[in-house]
Amino acid sequence: MSGQDGPDPVDILLVEDNPGDVRLTREAFKDGSIANNLHVVEDGVDALEFCHQRGDYVDAPRPAIILLDLNLPRKNGEEVLEEIRNDSNLQTIPVIVLTSSDAHDDVVRSYELCANAYLRKPVDPDGFIDAIRSLEEFWLSVVRLP
């Protein structure tokens, strides 16, 4: 327990290269009811470095949940998801694909790679914030994380 009355903050890794989406996600989590530490990396290589606690991320916490965009530089979201799911030390971390893609093939491929959920980003900023808050409520209040 922390010095607060509630549980320790949850560490969330957001893998997102769009600064606007990062800002909206921060806003949604900041105003939410669950204490959290939102960590942001901008590409797939840094996401894996963070998860493996290598390089610049040697002191990074193990994320309780990963929000993963599919369209990323250096290593795309599918490659990141596949590597996480093939690593026995990381495979239990819930990964929610959070992307602008509504392509059927992306949805199917994400679930084939064992994504825990696929959430299409609403275009409207208020809708985006509402989606993040719903995600927060479900994944951090209802679901019991490993």
Side-chain angles (χ1 to χ4, degrees):
M1 297 287 269
S2 66
Q4 307 166 345
D5 292 331
D8 289 334
V10 174
D11 287 297
I12 301 166
L13 176 59
L14 173 63
V15 188
E16 175 60 69
D17 63 326
N18 180 319
D21 289 348
V22 170
R23 183 181 50 76
L24 288 172
T25 304
R26 283 190 191 284
E27 184 179 326
F29 277 116
K30 181 183 69 161
D31 294 339
S33 58
I34 307 298
N36 64 78
N37 295 318
L38 184 65
H39 308 274
V40 179
V41 296
E42 297 178 355
D43 65 57
V45 172
D46 282 348
L48 292 168
E49 291 292 292
F50 188 101
C51 290
H52 289 291
Q53 299 172 313
R54 297 185 298 224
D56 292 340
Y57 304 102
V58 70
D59 294 323
R62 176 184 170 89
I65 197 163
I66 299 170
L67 305 178
L68 178 65
D69 188 16
L70 290 180
N71 302 310
L72 298 167
R74 300 205 297 164
K75 191 173 279 231
N76 71 39
E78 285 183 1
E79 293 170 307
V80 172
L81 181 55
E82 186 169 24
E83 192 165 323
I84 288 170
R85 292 303 181 232
N86 287 326
D87 185 313
S88 61
N89 293 319
L90 303 176
Q91 63 188 199
T92 59
I93 300 172
V95 177
I96 290 97
V97 173
L98 181 63
T99 186
S100 57
S101 173
D102 200 23
H104 178 73
D105 289 347
D106 287 344
V107 175
V108 170
R109 182 71 180 137
S110 294
Y111 283 116
E112 285 174 348
L113 292 170
C114 300
N116 295 87
Y118 189 101
L119 179 62
R120 185 173 183 278
K121 297 176 194 173
V123 176
D124 165 50
D126 290 333
F128 186 94
I129 290 172
D130 288 344
I132 295 296
R133 287 184 181 150
S134 295
L135 181 148
E136 176 192 33
E137 184 178 325
F138 179 74
W139 283 99
L140 302 182
S141 295
V142 177
V143 171
R144 181 164 176 164
L145 298 172

